[in-house]
Structures are given as structure tokens and as C-alpha cells.
Amino acid sequence: MTGRTGLIFDDGVRNEPRTHVFIIGVGKYIYGEGAQSTLVAGGLIQLTSPPKSASAIANWFLEEFRNPDHPLGTLTMLVSDKETATFDGPGGAQGIPEANLENVKKSMSDWRALFEGHPDNMLVFYFCGHGVSFGQKAALLLSDFGNEENSYEPAIDLDTLRGTLRNAQPGKQLFLIDCCRSKADSFYVHEATIGTRVLSIPPGIRPNGAIAKQCVLFPTIDGEQSFGLADDVSVFTSCFLDAVRFAAFDDATGKWVSSTTLILNALEQLVGCRLSESMRRRPVPTALDAVSFEFNHIDAPEKARSIVTIDDAVPWPTATFTASDLGEAGHPPLERATSKNDHFRCCIFELNFGKWEFSGNPETKPPSIVSTQRTVVRPVAYVKLGVAE
Amino acid sequence: MIDFGIAILAGSPNGAVKRGAIVSVTQLADIDGKRLPNSIRETAVVDIVFDVLPTFHRFILPEHGTYEVSVRHPGGIEVREVSVGDETEISIQVNPQAAKILTSGSVSTERYPGLGPRIGRYSGWLSGLPTLTTKSFPPDVGPVFNLVGSTAIEMLPPTFHSFRATGLKQQEDNFGGRFGPSNPLVFEGLRYEQSNSVYLDLRGQGHGKETVSRWLSCFRPEGRDLVSVPWNWLPLLEEADREVRIELTSSRSPSGRTLPTRVEVHDSRWGALIEYVAIGRMADAALVADSLLQGDVGPVGRFQGGSLAEWALYGKLKEPMVAVLGGIILVSNVKDGRNERWDRWLRNLAHWFPGIPDAAAIYGYRKLQVGEIDKATEWLRRSVQSGLPFFSATFRLLSLGFSQLEDQEYLARISAAVAAVDATQPFTVIRVPWGSEQ
């Protein structure tokens, strides 16, 4: 049990640059849909994806994140789930504090003590749960949002958090805001203020000439279903994990390094492959002040993921997709069976580098799917197959 | 070396954007299909054209082989694989407007040059002065609008604290009408006296008789939209190589709900900057801006080698709104807090245009970046006192600035407007739901 701070990993190093991660996943809304629902929060449905998504992000940081300039220093996590959340971390199974306002404030204060030690630290803030987007503002709703005493306070005002963290020492700050664009937006159209300050850092303490580089990434996906399959990782988070595992890398400098800009571009591509155009088409920015900085490293890839989808003009079919090796190695063809009921409109092949032909054979024609050839030599290849009547 | 041409095509005339696409060409493999480490990449900013005969941008590539062409545009990203050697030119079609909710109609060809008491040229379906006492609308038409006057006390222009109660009453001399999904309201220009008057307002010297109201109030069943019309984006004098028009559009969601009024500024010169700022891709906006400088719209001589954002600031006297956009791009892309040569221009912009709240906000935000807390507080507050910004991005600068300063008084003061401004649009449109007028 970690106590209220939610600190589940700490390498103990404070005098060298580190990455400090803060994760919030809110699936259970105490005053949302259900027995204790209130007028303010009663319209918020309970979510199953955020606890899973928060755990997936935590596991990735603990097991796979590599950045020689900013290795993982600490990881803090707060989760609200149907039952008391636990996490099987480096120290064994640990209870995770609930993501309510009191705990978040306390953990943020503790987090500050961890990250303020070095100006070259990197911060990552991740939130998955209900969010409200109103105008240029956004509020991230915590588990006790809508209570009778201070209904609108248990939420994080994103601008306030960003503004506050600009006064912090760490010069690189990545915000991953995994909130679907749900009906919550329309519940609160008359409210000018939702959320509160969860952290305070007075201005003027940063070193002269130093500016905090902030990058805020969030999805532009419609509806609760965009959180993905029930009890599974959300679309945005799974796309982010794909991005930092293989899809957002470049070897222009000789090493395979991701950057926040490459992650943003990869997210756009990956979400575009998974979801139909009607779900992803929202007229909102996908990034705010997307300042670019290096994020993580991987070894030189030996295989590639080919993400195969078809033209948006037609529904995702029940079909068999095939990847055929056109090179000298002559690897046997790989097949993927798909269903029109698939949650995502893509299938993924893990392939050796080389020249491949991609084709699809739908159960029902027309339309037929037009095959294409691709040279697969980078960690990811996006393949969009055309259709013909 | 291999000369390879790439043309980026729009599917419709409205999709054409000068310097609208950022094209990267990356070598994937050599002519034998062998993978190459440290891939060579060429990047250029290219026009998106709508033309029978496309214009090909030339890339000079090191050798034949397999290349990936990535096209970043305001509507998303397109990726193609090409075999350079087998092909010498390719065309890629994009939809730069894919990120927007668009009207289903096209630009109206109807024109009524005699009907507008204050507007030189416009089009749209005008039905005379609207009756504003009703909130019921025929299903096939869009919002009723009227220009918000400023001569009566109850018609004072919207401010941070009063915007919800502004402009509900109708003045007899107000210009009003109705536009719908298939009949956008189009403004193509003002008379010289009107343009000059608008300009003097921005300089804080506005005593002209031909003042044109900045605000349009658009009435929908779901509420009102207060639209800040960026009149000063229209050039003072017509320019042979430039087309500009401001278009107000309306559309409906699949469920039949009337969506908020959109202000689209179509500018053959600066349009790409507006598009990239609107989607929050500030680094891309800076790249596009620098490319524009090197192209045929940049000045020659004095500013060669500078960035367009710098030029925009330098050109502030002629086009202050473009300068403001340049300022937003600049302060959003700084890498450290060192003084820049454009700091002086930001200061001048703020001093010379007290009628542009954005200019003071940008200057204050910049002061915060360089650690001058008192100056930052002074200018950010001055911005709020001088009115609502012209650009929606400026609301974010104010919100972040006051948050960073922990200035609770001014955070509270701007909160309602920041929450009501439409973040999906580059120019200020504020939504006021019915029932929130107090």
C-alpha cells in the first residue's frame, strides 16, 4: 500500500534529470449514473476503460520507456474503479488511491517535491476519464465531481494546471488528455467555471531564460464508444502506446527516437486507421502549442507493423486480408480474417522488412478491394486499400 | 540527382490554399529495394491548387529508389509510397477542410449592392430587418443576424463581463438579415472611409462617422453567436494578386441542430497561416510562414532572411491583424527566454494599436516568457480592459497567462468569455445559450 500519494515507483534520484509521470484514471463517478447520482453529475455514465488505460500507460512506463537523457524517475497513479484499484507494480500488488479532489491535490503537492529538484526533468501528465470542453477551457472531472457540497470543484482546470506547471523547473512537459467528446459538454453550457487549482507554484522561480516546453495531446473522437471495447484500453491510449512503441520514430539522427511532433502525427494516422471518419471528424485542435521535444528511444527495428485499412467510403467488411512477400526471402503469405462487426476498421500485420503486396477478399462484393504493393522498411507502414465497384 | 515533381490538389476551389501543404519526401530504399539507414528527407511547403493544369513543386532527390511522400495539410495527413525513377511526377489530392464542419452549400452568386447601409459589397439572402422577438425558425434557413450597434446604452459592444447581455435589442438603422446552409453571408470589402475608420479604431483614434460595428449577433434556436467580424483583414485597397473575403456560414448537425456560426476568412495570401493556427499546429504555422516569405508574397530587400512572422510584425502598420497572427505564432514557438529582435516590434504593436486587445495580450504573454512578471501582469490586464480579442487563440494566451501569474481576480473576470468562445475557429465567435443572458 502506497498511502495517499499514489507513488508506485521511485528510483530515488533527485540530482539528475529524470522523467516524472503522473497518471489519473477515473472510471467510477460517485455521483454519476447510479444510486448516488446528483443533479450536476447524474448524466455522467460510469466508464470501464479509464482504469485499464491508466494501468496500460503505467506498465509501459515501468517496463518499456527508455530515454537516456531522462530515465523514469517516479510514477504516481490515482485510479477510481468499481472496486478499490490495485496495481501489480515493481513492489508487488499495491492499492491505488482514489482519484478524488483531495487525493489529487495531496499527490500533486507530493509530485512537485519530486520534480522540482532538477531543471532538466521531464514531466508527463496523463488523464483518462470524463472531460468537459467549453470554449478555450477544458476540465478533467474527478471521481467526486458533482457532490452536494462543492459540485463543480472536483475537476482539474487544464489551463490552470498548464499555467502553473509553466512556473515549474522541468523544461519538458507532455500532457496526454484522454477524454472522449461526450455528452458531458452539453450538460454544462451555462457554467463559466468548472474545476479548481490542484497545484500552486508561484511565478518567477524558473531560471532566467528557461521556458517550459509544453505539448498537449488529446483525441478528437466522438462519443463514449470511442473509449473502445468495454473493459479495454481506450482508442487514444492504445494509439499513443502504438506511437511510442513503433509508429512515431525516425532515424534521421542515427538513433530511433520519437518526438512529440512525431507522436502527434502518428496519433492522427493511427486513430484515422482505427475509426470511421464520422467518429473522428471533430473540428477541434488535436494539439495545443505542440512544441516538439524528444520523448523516447527504441532499438533499431527489425520488423514492421503494417496497418491495413480500406477507403473510408465503404464500411469495414467481413473479409480476409493477405500480405504476400514479393522479395527473395519468399516468406509465406500472412492472412487476417476481419468482421464487419470489428470495433476498429483495420488489421495489423507484423512483417519482415521487404516488398509486400497487400490485398483483401471481402465476403460480399461489390465493392472489391484493390491490392497494392508497399516497401516495408520502417517500423510502421500505413496501407489504405482502394475499393472498386 | 533526380528531379521529381509533386503537385498537391484540392477537390474544390475553396480547398486551394497558398503554401497550404507541408510535403516531406523520405527515402525508404535504394533502387534494389535495400533499406537505407539515416534516411534522407526533403521538406518543402507547397501550394494546394485547384486547377486543371497542376503546378508541380520540384524536389531534387539523391538517387532513384523508393520514397515515402507525406503531405501534412490543415485537414490531416496523406502518405504515399512512390518509386522515383519509374515515376517523375505525382499528384496527390487532399481535403484541407476535412477538419471543419462545413456548410453543404456554396458561395451565393446573388448580390444586392444597394441594400446595405454600411457594407459596400456583400451577398446572401437578405430578408429585411429580422424580427428578433421570436426564437422559432423555419427549418430550412439558418441564423438571423444583425450588426450590433453602439449608440444606445443597451447596445454597447460586448466585453468580458457584459457579453451575455449585449445586443438583444434591434436598432432601426441596424443592418440585418438571414443566412443559411446554402446561402452564406459574404463580405468582400468596405468602402475606403469605412476601412479607414475601422483602422483608426484599432489605433485608438476612432472618431470617424463611418464606423462599422465589429460585432454581429446571430440568433439560432440554440442561442446567440456573437461574431467578431475581422473587417480589418480586408485590405484597405484592392491588391491585384490577392483575393480576400469573409464568409459567415451556418450548418446543421445530422440530428438537425443548428451549429454555431462560422467565420471563414478566405485569403489567397495568408490563408494557410489562419488554417494552421486554427488547428493549433503552431510549429507548422511558423514553417508555412517562413516559406511564404521566401515566395512571391514576401518583401524583398530589407527583410530577406527574416521570418514571415517577423515581417508580419514589421508590416503591422499596413496589416495589423496579420501582424497579430504573426505575433501569436512567434510567442507560441519560442524555445527559450532570450531576447529576440522581434521583441521590439511586439512592444510597438501593443503600443500603437490599443484597439487590438490581442496585441497587448501577446506582449504581456511574451513578458511572462522572459520573466518580467510585473510587466506581464500590466499588459495582460490591459488587454482585458481593452475588450474581447479578435483571435480565439488569444483567449488561451490570457487564460494561460493569468493562470501562470496565479491572478485569480482576472482569471475570474475572463472565465465566462474564455468558456464561451468557439475554440474551433480562428476568429472570435462567442456562443451565448438562451437563458444565460444575465
Side-chain angles (χ1 to χ4, degrees):
Chain A
M1 185 71 186
T2 63
R4 288 173 56 186
T5 66
L7 186 65
I8 62 172
F9 175 80
D10 183 1
D11 73 348
V13 177
R14 301 287 181 268
N15 59 354
E16 290 178 23
R18 287 291 184 269
T19 297
H20 296 277
V21 181
F22 196 101
I23 295 171
I24 297 175
V26 190
K28 181 186 177 186
Y29 284 85
I30 301 167
Y31 304 102
E33 188 181 58
Q36 297 184 70
S37 70
T38 59
L39 195 61
V40 169
L44 300 175
I45 66 165
Q46 305 296 341
L47 302 171
T48 54
S49 175
K52 304 287 182 192
S53 301
S55 292
I57 287 283
N59 277 322
W60 179 79
F61 272 105
L62 290 168
E63 294 168 12
E64 298 178 57
F65 174 72
R66 279 177 36 212
N67 183 325
D69 297 326
H70 315 82
L72 182 65
T74 66
L75 192 147
T76 303
M77 183 158 72
L78 293 90
V79 170
S80 291
D81 204 351
K82 286 176 287 190
E83 312 291 336
T84 301
T86 58
F87 182 75
D88 198 5
Q94 301 173 320
I96 302 298
E98 186 183 334
N100 58 33
L101 181 60
E102 183 185 1
N103 288 345
V104 167
K105 279 186 171 179
K106 173 70 169 61
S107 294
M108 278 272 171
S109 177
D110 292 344
W111 193 40
R112 182 189 173 192
L114 299 172
F115 67 60
E116 282 289 72
H118 202 288
D120 294 328
N121 281 336
M122 179 161 74
L123 301 185
V124 179
F125 173 82
Y126 171 89
F127 177 90
C128 187
H130 278 300
V132 181
S133 168
F134 47 136
Q136 285 283 16
K137 300 179 78 171
L140 317 176
L141 308 188
L142 300 173
S143 68
D144 51 342
F145 179 80
N147 68 57
E148 299 285 2
E149 292 173 4
N150 54 355
S151 296
Y152 292 101
E153 278 190 28
I156 298 172
D157 182 311
L158 184 59
D159 267 2
T160 303
L161 181 63
R162 286 184 61 200
T164 301
L165 286 174
R166 287 181 175 208
N167 294 329
Q169 293 281 338
K172 296 175 182 172
Q173 303 174 7
L174 176 63
F175 297 76
L176 302 165
I177 308 300
D178 190 354
C179 302
C180 68
R181 303 272 309 186
S182 70
K183 288 179 288 189
D185 280 9
S186 60
F187 294 159
Y188 310 113
V189 290
H190 295 288
E191 297 304 319
T193 303
I194 296 177
T196 189
R197 180 181 290 279
V198 292
L199 179 67
S200 178
I201 303 175
I205 60 173
R206 284 185 61 77
N208 274 345
I211 283 181
K213 294 178 182 172
Q214 291 186 334
C215 179
V216 188
L217 304 177
F218 48 85
T220 58
I221 305 169
D222 267 342
E224 283 88 358
Q225 70 272 33
S226 65
F227 272 129
L229 299 170
D231 281 319
D232 207 345
V233 176
S234 74
V235 175
F236 177 80
T237 295
S238 66
C239 288
F240 172 78
L241 291 172
D242 282 353
V244 294
R245 280 176 172 141
F246 62 87
F249 291 87
D250 189 90
D251 66 341
T253 60
K255 296 176 180 174
W256 288 92
V257 182
S258 77
S259 69
T260 51
T261 298
L262 291 172
I263 292 171
L264 172 62
N265 291 340
L267 281 171
E268 196 167 323
Q269 292 267 33
L270 292 164
V271 171
C273 289
R274 279 169 165 81
L275 300 180
S276 66
E277 195 174 22
S278 61
M279 280 184 73
R280 66 177 193 264
R281 202 180 213 191
R282 294 289 301 193
V284 293
T286 50
L288 296 173
D289 306 338
V291 177
S292 194
F293 50 84
E294 279 191 9
F295 186 68
N296 72 314
H297 294 222
I298 56 171
D299 292 330
E302 295 177 351
K303 288 198 169 189
R305 270 83 159 187
S306 289
I307 301 174
V308 179
T309 186
I310 63 170
D311 195 307
D312 271 327
V314 295
W316 182 244
T318 298
T320 302
F321 286 85
T322 305
S324 307
D325 187 3
L326 300 177
E328 294 172 358
H331 295 100
L334 299 172
E335 291 189 346
R336 296 283 181 272
T338 64
S339 162
K340 62 182 179 182
N341 298 319
D342 286 350
H343 197 73
F344 300 138
R345 45 181 296 124
C346 68
C347 58
I348 299 178
F349 293 92
E350 187 167 316
L351 304 174
N352 291 92
F353 290 150
K355 188 90 173 173
W356 292 82
E357 182 174 77
F358 297 91
S359 58
N361 184 22
E363 190 178 80
T364 307
K365 299 175 187 173
S368 55
I369 296 172
V370 180
S371 61
T372 191
Q373 296 180 3
R374 294 295 297 270
T375 306
V376 178
V377 292
R378 296 177 72 78
V380 66
Y382 303 102
V383 181
K384 181 180 271 191
L385 300 177
V387 292
E389 290 301 323
Chain B
M1 294 299 216
I2 310 296
D3 184 332
F4 189 73
I6 299 176
I8 308 300
L9 307 179
S12 69
N14 276 348
V17 185
K18 193 172 189 65
R19 301 291 191 270
I22 300 169
V23 180
S24 293
V25 183
T26 307
Q27 189 173 14
L28 297 176
D30 64 15
I31 195 167
D32 299 320
K34 186 181 173 189
R35 177 174 171 265
L36 300 170
N38 305 345
S39 307
I40 293 166
R41 174 172 295 171
E42 297 286 335
T43 297
V45 184
V46 176
D47 294 346
I48 302 174
V49 297
F50 179 74
D51 207 332
V52 179
L53 296 172
T55 310
F56 287 90
H57 185 94
R58 313 311 303 186
F59 286 80
I60 305 300
L61 304 175
E63 59 180 344
H64 289 173
T66 305
Y67 289 77
E68 181 182 83
V69 179
S70 150
V71 183
R72 149 75 46 200
H73 57 92
I77 190 166
E78 299 286 335
V79 179
R80 295 286 169 81
E81 183 179 308
V82 294
S83 176
V84 173
D86 298 340
E87 297 177 88
T88 57
E89 288 179 339
I90 61 163
S91 301
I92 297 176
Q93 184 160 326
V94 299
N95 180 9
Q97 296 177 305
K100 298 175 185 173
I101 290 179
L102 295 173
T103 59
S104 55
S106 57
V107 177
S108 169
T109 55
E110 293 179 272
R111 296 188 185 281
Y112 304 86
L115 291 179
R118 291 174 173 161
I119 299 174
R121 297 192 299 273
Y122 58 88
S123 65
W125 178 47
L126 299 177
S127 60
L129 296 178
T131 302
L132 301 178
T133 52
T134 176
K135 293 176 191 170
S136 73
F137 295 82
D140 59 338
V141 296
V144 170
F145 72 91
N146 74 297
L147 278 169
V148 178
S150 58
T151 54
I153 292 172
E154 65 270 28
M155 299 291 286
L156 284 176
T159 65
F160 273 100
H161 75 275
S162 71
F163 70 90
R164 283 176 166 158
T166 305
L168 274 173
K169 294 188 178 177
Q170 174 76 12
Q171 281 186 279
E172 282 187 3
D173 63 344
N174 266 356
F175 172 80
R178 177 169 274 173
F179 58 96
S182 57
N183 295 283
L185 180 66
V186 182
F187 301 114
E188 292 174 333
L190 296 171
R191 291 198 300 273
Y192 178 82
E193 297 78 11
Q194 295 170 326
S195 292
N196 193 46
S197 178
V198 169
Y199 182 81
L200 290 175
D201 277 343
L202 302 183
R203 291 293 305 268
Q205 303 163 2
H207 304 296
K209 295 176 183 175
E210 290 275 2
T211 296
V212 180
S213 172
R214 172 185 161 188
W215 294 96
L216 263 172
S217 196
C218 299
F219 297 81
R220 296 181 289 123
E222 294 79 8
R224 286 187 305 141
D225 302 322
L226 287 167
V227 178
S228 166
V229 185
W231 296 116
N232 201 249
W233 200 280
L234 300 168
L236 201 59
L237 300 171
E238 283 194 17
E239 297 171 39
D241 60 342
R242 185 181 176 196
E243 287 182 23
V244 187
R245 68 177 191 277
I246 300 169
E247 199 170 300
L248 267 62
T249 63
S250 161
S251 59
R252 290 181 184 281
S253 69
S255 62
R257 195 165 55 92
T258 310
L259 297 172
T261 307
R262 291 195 69 83
V263 179
E264 308 278 356
V265 173
H266 300 273
D267 186 333
S268 61
R269 178 176 298 176
W270 306 103
L273 284 191
I274 299 171
E275 299 286 346
Y276 280 102
V277 169
I279 57 172
R281 309 250 345 184
M282 295 300 185
D284 289 339
L287 197 62
V288 168
D290 290 345
S291 164
L292 281 165
L293 179 71
Q294 291 155 17
D296 55 0
V297 303
V300 292
R302 182 168 180 170
F303 263 88
Q304 245 171 6
S307 71
L308 182 134
E310 290 175 319
W311 177 82
L313 286 166
Y314 175 74
K316 58 190 170 295
L317 278 173
K318 187 181 171 201
E319 298 197 79
M321 300 298 276
V322 181
V324 166
L325 195 63
I328 291 171
I329 295 168
L330 278 178
V331 298
S332 299
N333 280 295
V334 291
K335 292 184 170 52
D336 54 51
R338 286 181 296 193
N339 287 329
E340 301 279 357
R341 60 177 170 158
W342 40 262
D343 274 321
R344 180 169 50 88
W345 299 325
L346 283 184
R347 177 182 173 279
N348 290 345
L349 187 66
H351 278 93
W352 294 354
F353 290 94
I356 304 180
D358 311 69
I362 293 163
Y363 186 52
Y365 189 80
R366 177 62 184 156
K367 287 288 146 189
L368 195 50
Q369 288 179 330
V370 297
E372 295 182 31
I373 305 300
D374 292 341
K375 281 273 186 193
T377 304
E378 175 192 342
W379 280 95
L380 288 170
R381 287 185 167 204
R382 190 182 290 192
S383 170
V384 173
Q385 289 156 8
S386 58
L388 291 160
F390 284 88
F391 291 92
S392 64
T394 305
F395 287 81
R396 196 165 67 235
L397 297 185
L398 289 169
S399 180
L400 281 172
F402 289 127
S403 293
Q404 190 173 348
L405 290 166
E406 301 201 348
D407 187 338
Q408 296 303 333
E409 179 191 344
Y410 270 73
L411 269 178
R413 192 179 288 199
I414 66 170
S415 183
V418 176
V421 71
D422 185 346
T424 71
Q425 305 197 44
F427 296 97
T428 297
V429 175
I430 294 177
R431 305 181 198 178
V432 187
W434 296 119
S436 64
E437 290 83 0
Q438 300 305 313

